Amino acid sequence: MTQKKLQIHTENILPIIKKWLYSDKDIFLRELVSNACDALNKLKILREHKEADVKDEEMRVDIILNQEEKTLKIIDTGIGMTAEEVEKYIAQVAFSGAEEFLGKYKTENDKEAIIGHFGLGFYSAYMVSSKVEINTLSYRENAEPVFWSCDGSADYTIEKGTKEARGTEITLFIDKDSEEFLDAAKIKTILNLYCAFLPFPIHFNEEKINDKEPLWLKAPSECTEEEYLDFYQTLYPFEEPPIFWIHLNVDYPFNLKGILYFPKVNKRFDWNQSHIKLFCNRVFVSDNCKDLIPDFLMILKGAIDSPDIPLNVSRSYLQMDKTVRQLSSHVSKKVTDRLQTLYKTEQEKFTSSWKDIETIVKLGCLQDEKFYEKAKEFLIWQNTEGNWTRIEDYLERNEGKHKDKIFYTAEDKGNAGFLNLYKEKNIEVLVANAPIDSALINTLERKHSPAIFQRTDGGIDDAILDKARENTEAHKIADFVKANLGEAQVEVEAKSLHSDNLPAFIVVNEHMRRMRDYMALTGQEIPSQMLGKNTFVVNTNSKLINAIYGMQEKKPLLAKEMIAHVYELSLLSQKELETKQLSSFIERSSKILEEMLLDA
Ligand code: ADP
Ligand code: MG
């Protein structure tokens, strides 16, 4: 067997880089400005090693657009390159000078992090250029300037150059297909996006691009509330201030800094899009880091900066990457800790922000077992009296009255008549009206087994009955109502409710309703056979029901109308009346009013 080396020819690889390496043309600018910053950073590191002499104010990057000549120049005052270095770093595709440099000069200061990794960034210039020239002068004593030129084929020229000042000037000859990059506004937008937090002054046609410090790099103990709020405005101009934030600062097992903000929840929120901005050593990389943070935290905003995330690689690789998984669980843990502390130390703020954070907490409970274990400590509910409680406390408090049963309503304030049945009996009812609650309740029942959640209109609980006043004719009343209602899909029961004021209500089969809510939440159609039977409960202690029952001989037709009317009124008050039933309901209302007046 003979072993041979795979041959890769630049003629083949360049078109591939040009077409496939980056999905987005814009990033050529990010790559070239990053290289310029790397060159400056290297100079700084050399200064620390006393190998170069340079003042801070001499270090800068300039981007200059010339529309007449159709060129874009990226100029830095960094270390520059000698002819050998150009041959080695530029002409050898995929050879990263950054890696080599770091191998040689270990730096303690992580603020001077080098961005480059892969040795491919420079070639992204060919996504928009028909030709690229380099004019460079190395920082080394007596270095000779170098001029390099290549039109994107495998051939290049290299010769003595004319550059007099230390540093590198890259000239892009923008090609015909990419003339949008000759638009100053476009270039400025790209620079603002990618380069806003770079560590050296960056100027575009003399105007400074980056004037904000990345707050995430500052020690959390040194940041003021005002700075956090201010920084949020920098990242998201025009947005309402966030509720609170978490400053991440991790060294082990990976390097990560960042600030995550809890925004005010916006109804139009797009759950599929993450809004956290990802940076790699201050260079903006992406604002869709879907795989980097758990789904339920997608609502968070802010910035994460880590040199350890393999950013240039494909997304499927990202998901499998160990660092990425660790990062995700770390972020999740930090968020939990913050919420926990907030609940313990600033309960008032916590409850008043609940509307904005409940979706995150509840989604987290559904999606992440570990999160739930901690979140149950601050998963709170408001009862109909307006007090806040946790499920555990509710169960304990009500153990004597109704063991293992949690009453809840999906109503906000409305339907007082019905809830009064519970209120008058001093039964604590929780409000659970967030769209996600149905799903969450299923999970909570498993966690708190044998306790069950019962919606106030999900059953006829003994608690609302008055056994002492049971009507001996109850089954006759029920039969009469059933016969007149003419709704085959509805069961009828006559019960002695402890309050006389409520004539009737509908019991919606709890199991069916949950299924229906779930399907609505996930946007599925509901097959009619799945709707199941509801029960129409009439109150044998209600004057109205008794009056209708008494009318059966004298005015059977009116009695029938009245039953339909009470039925639809119940549907209406429980928000179960369908739109198509509404017109017949209104028609009948007028008819009944008419008859009453004619009778009078
Ligand atoms: P990477 O940045 O990942 O190393 P690039 O293709 O972006 O790969 O750059 C290749 C190498 O070329 C760099 O590592 C660096 O040594 C050299 N280089 C590129 N641009 C400059 C520059 N503006 N000044 C000095 N050296 C540069
Ligand atoms: Mg680079």
Side-chain angles (χ1 to χ4, degrees), residues 497 500-505 536-540 542 544-545 566 570:
L497 302 184
D500 301 356
N501 297 330
L502 187 75
F505 68 94
F536 182 41
V537 182
V538 294
N539 183 1
T540 54
S542 149
L544 179 61
I545 295 298
V566 173
S570 305

Side-chain angles (χ1 to χ4, degrees), residues 41 141 278 281 565:
N41 246 331
E141 240 170 87
L278 259 195
N281 289 327
H565 207 63

Side-chain angles (χ1 to χ4, degrees), residues 220-350:
S221 56
E222 284 169 23
C223 300
T224 65
E225 172 154 342
E226 203 187 330
E227 281 178 308
Y228 283 118
L229 292 171
D230 219 49
F231 188 62
Y232 189 76
Q233 287 300 311
T234 310
L235 293 177
Y236 310 97
F238 314 119
E239 275 189 40
E240 265 193 273
I243 315 168
F244 51 85
W245 46 86
I246 302 165
H247 198 142
L248 301 163
N249 194 343
V250 190
D251 296 323
Y252 182 82
F254 42 78
N255 234 299
L256 171 100
K257 291 195 166 66
I259 302 173
L260 295 180
Y261 292 94
F262 278 71
K264 278 228 170 335
V265 176
N266 185 332
K267 286 244 160 50
R268 284 169 286 116
F269 189 79
D270 174 9
W271 282 97
N272 287 315
Q273 169 99 41
S274 129
H275 299 259
I276 297 171
K277 295 174 195 274
L278 259 195
F279 293 82
C280 178
N281 289 327
R282 297 168 162 229
V283 186
F284 173 79
V285 175
S286 161
D287 52 8
N288 192 356
C289 47
K290 250 187 110 165
D291 303 315
L292 288 178
I293 58 161
D295 279 354
F296 70 98
L297 296 179
M298 218 56 114
I299 209 167
L300 300 185
K301 296 197 166 181
I304 288 183
D305 188 343
S306 173
D308 290 342
I309 306 170
L311 293 167
N312 281 26
V313 291
S314 80
R315 300 196 47 213
S316 52
Y317 180 84
L318 257 189
Q319 275 170 339
M320 296 171 44
D321 190 80
K322 195 162 145 243
T323 318
V324 173
R325 270 183 284 128
Q326 282 178 330
L327 181 128
S328 161
S329 79
H330 181 81
V331 169
S332 163
K333 184 181 171 310
K334 281 286 170 193
V335 172
T336 324
D337 291 350
R338 179 77 177 96
L339 288 169
Q340 217 165 16
T341 335
L342 194 70
Y343 179 72
K344 277 193 199 132
T345 58
E346 294 176 68
Q347 222 166 85
E348 209 161 292
K349 181 170 177 183
F350 189 87

